[in-house]
């Protein structure tokens, strides 16, 4: 929990170690929770010139991958969703030819609980969010 006066930099500093955990093989979820209008979207996405947690985390991951490119190979994939009023929405752009976003559900699969139909995209640069 951060006070209202916290900067994007301060919030990211708290989650930055999770970027290393991902490269060590751990699954990571950065979760924003709070009432409507409390700043969750701004904290996660930010604005031009004041990036939020998500673009900063992707930039950090890409930086770490670049530093390790001689010894390791990574593929980074990204999914983003919103749960609002018990409805799951995919926050990544729609696939070409898709007319509208469909309501998604959590299902038990052979791989565990998953949001079936959630967009998963390979990340090669931070511009995926813009």
């Amino acid at each position: 929990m951060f006070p209202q006066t916290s900067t994007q930099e301060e919030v990211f500093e708290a989650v930055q170690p999770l970027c290393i955990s991902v490269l060590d093989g751990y699954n990571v979820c950065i979760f924003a929770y709070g009432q409507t209008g409390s700043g969750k979207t701004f904290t996660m996405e930010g604005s031009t010139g004041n990036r939020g947690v998500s673009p900063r985390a992707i930039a950090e991951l890409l930086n770490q991958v670049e530093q390790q490119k001689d010894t390791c190979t990574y593929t980074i994939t990204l999914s983003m969703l919103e749960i609002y009023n018990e409805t799951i929405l995919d926050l990544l752009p729609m696939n070409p030819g898709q007319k509208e976003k469909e309501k998604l559900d959590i299902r038990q699969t052979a791989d565990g609980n998953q949001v079936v139909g959630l967009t998963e995209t390979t990340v090669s640069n931070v511009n995926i969010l813009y």
Side-chain angles (χ1 to χ4, degrees):
M1 187 134 170
F2 295 91
Q4 203 170 2
T5 57
S6 298
T7 65
Q8 297 284 38
E9 292 84 8
E10 291 170 335
V11 174
F12 180 68
E13 282 179 21
V15 299
Q16 187 175 13
L18 297 174
C19 296
I20 306 305
S21 296
V22 167
L23 298 178
D24 289 337
Y26 294 96
N27 291 323
V28 172
C29 174
I30 300 173
F31 186 79
Y33 179 82
Q35 73 182 63
T36 300
S38 62
K40 299 176 299 296
T41 300
F42 180 73
T43 298
M44 296 304 288
E45 295 178 9
S47 62
T48 305
N50 192 13
R51 297 179 306 155
V53 170
S54 296
R56 288 171 190 266
I58 291 170
E60 177 67 19
L61 276 173
L62 293 171
N63 180 44
Q64 293 294 326
V65 166
E66 180 64 24
Q67 290 179 24
Q68 298 179 34
K69 70 180 180 184
D70 293 336
T71 57
C72 298
T73 302
Y74 294 98
T75 300
I76 300 171
T77 58
L78 172 75
S79 294
M80 293 182 76
L81 62 87
E82 172 185 89
I83 304 172
Y84 182 72
N85 286 338
E86 300 182 23
T87 300
I88 300 171
L89 298 174
D90 191 337
L91 295 179
L92 292 181
M94 292 188 291
N95 297 321
Q98 187 179 1
K99 294 183 180 178
E100 62 182 52
K101 293 206 179 243
E102 58 190 61
K103 181 180 174 185
L104 302 173
D105 292 310
I106 299 172
R107 298 278 184 239
Q108 179 68 35
T109 69
D111 295 324
N113 293 325
Q114 292 185 341
V115 179
V116 178
L118 184 65
T119 302
E120 185 175 289
T121 188
T122 302
V123 176
S124 59
N125 64 63
V126 74
N127 295 332
I128 187 78
L129 298 176
Y130 299 105

